[in-house]
């Protein structure tokens, strides 16, 4: 199957499985797993932070980060369409008693600085006593595949700092951003107090995210991870996959980006399809409403999985080759040639 529904569908390669099989393990809740310890040390070093914490999922990683930054009744400023706000079941509010303050995105995916500034509440006596305490700004990079511009990130960081806010980056796909920008992970993560990195998407691991930050922040996140049920025992068998991905699956993200561009180009040559966006490993396109269901079935019968909607997202990854993209474009062409 050629599966373009998401980059979460990647399966561990034979070499990654071999690394997992060979992992030395121990009880990580006791701090005894040498492979988890090594992963945390390597990721902290690679990203330029004091400490790192292995997490079962990106959702738990973001949640524990938000809970480490914010107390009950604090507020975090976040994009209306950000994963942490929209796609994590409202966990920060439900489990963390943290008040979200969502901001509309600009068309380029950024949160306009003037909107952020306007949302930051003054605390203290008088009117300030009415408000939740603005505590944190959370950005996302990449966002819908788009890389946040370096200058924008700096300006948002300066604004947040000047108003006493901390900064969290949902860097689920921060490796895609760093490869697209031709910069190191350390550079892309710079200036944030915490970054959550997902390894179970384009990096090809079966499970796992890593949260990085200061030692003091991660001590709090460590406690919240236990509270959330995320303390894992012989987790080195999973951590070995992440260590493998760090060495072998980061630079190759450039191939995924090239394949996405290649897919967008192919789709643009089909009259019935309109490509609305292509950035890093994601292509967004519109298909005629009446053709969505039959086209999806046509493709599925030919071993191609795309969730065909009027506005749809296709994602390239480790298990999709350039030849696969050729086939996908050819099959979509075939479909429209026949109708
Ligand atoms: C996938 C994703 C996450 C975390 O998701 P999990 O499925 O819990 O690992 C967080 N943020 C973004 C932007 C994501 O795409």
């Amino acid at each position: 199957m050629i599966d373009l529904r998401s980059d979460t569908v990647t399966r561990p390669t034979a070499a990654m499985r071999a690394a997992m099989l060979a992992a030395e393990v121990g009880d990580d809740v006791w701090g005894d797993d040498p492979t988890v310890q090594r992963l945390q040390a390597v990721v902290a070093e690679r990203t330029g932070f004091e400490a790192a914490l292995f997490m079962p999922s990106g959702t738990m990683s973001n949640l524990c980060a938000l809970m480490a930054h914010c107390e009950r009744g604090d507020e975090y400023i976040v994009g209306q369409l950000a994963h942490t706000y929209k796609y994590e079941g409202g966990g920060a509010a439900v489990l963390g008693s943290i008040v979200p303050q969502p901001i509309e995105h600009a068309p380029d995916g950024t949160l306009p600085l003037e909107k952020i500034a306007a949302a930051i509440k003054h605390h203290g006596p008088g009117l300030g006593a009415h408000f939740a305490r603005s505590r944190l700004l959370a950005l996302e990079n990449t966002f819908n595949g788009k890389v946040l511009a370096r200058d924008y990130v700096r300006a948002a960081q300066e604004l947040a700092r000047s108003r006493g806010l901390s900064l969290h980056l949902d860097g689920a796909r921060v490796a895609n951003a760093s490869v697209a920008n031709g910069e190191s992970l350390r550079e892309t993560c710079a200036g944030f107090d915490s970054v959550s990195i997902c390894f179970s998407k384009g990096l090809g691991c079966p499970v796992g995210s890593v949260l990085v930050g200061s030692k003091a922040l991660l001590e709090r996140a460590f406690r919240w991870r236990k509270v959330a049920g995320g303390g894992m025992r012989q987790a080195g068998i999973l951590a070995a996959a992440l260590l493998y991905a760090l060495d072998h699956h980061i630079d190759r993200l450039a191939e995924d980006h090239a394949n996405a561009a290649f897919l967008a180009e192919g789709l643009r040559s089909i009259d019935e399809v309109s490509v609305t966006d292509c950035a890093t490993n994601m292509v967004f396109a519109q298909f005629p409403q009446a053709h969505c269901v039959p086209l999806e079935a046509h493709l599925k019968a030919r071993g191609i999985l795309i969730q065909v909607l009027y506005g749809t997202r296709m994602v390239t990854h480790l298990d999709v080759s350039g030849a696969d993209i050729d086939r996908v474009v050819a099959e979509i062409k075939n479909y429209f040639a026949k109708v």
Side-chain angles (χ1 to χ4, degrees), residues 175-195:
N176 294 82
S178 84
V179 167
N181 272 349
E183 60 188 18
S184 64
L185 268 182
R186 181 184 282 256
E187 288 168 302
T188 319
C189 294
F192 291 95
D193 296 297
S194 55
V195 181

Side-chain angles (χ1 to χ4, degrees), residues 57-59 62 83 88 140 142 170 172-173 198 200-201 209:
S57 70
T59 298
N62 281 326
H83 202 280
E88 295 177 8
E140 187 174 314
T142 61
D170 178 357
R173 295 186 180 85
C198 196
S200 64
K201 296 190 171 153
S209 282

Side-chain angles (χ1 to χ4, degrees), residues 144-196:
N144 281 343
K146 287 189 168 75
V147 180
L148 297 183
R150 194 66 232 160
D151 289 349
Y152 168 77
V153 172
R154 285 231 178 77
Q157 288 171 339
E158 273 167 28
L159 168 64
R161 296 272 174 238
S162 73
R163 303 291 300 270
L165 270 60
S166 298
L167 286 133
H168 173 68
L169 180 68
D170 178 357
R173 295 186 180 85
V174 72
N176 294 82
S178 84
V179 167
N181 272 349
E183 60 188 18
S184 64
L185 268 182
R186 181 184 282 256
E187 288 168 302
T188 319
C189 294
F192 291 95
D193 296 297
S194 55
V195 181
S196 170

Side-chain angles (χ1 to χ4, degrees), residues 211-230:
L211 178 66
V212 295
S214 68
K215 276 203 177 102
L217 186 80
L218 289 205
E219 270 166 27
R220 296 200 291 279
F222 179 85
R223 193 181 132 65
W224 289 126
R225 185 186 69 172
K226 192 75 187 83
V227 170

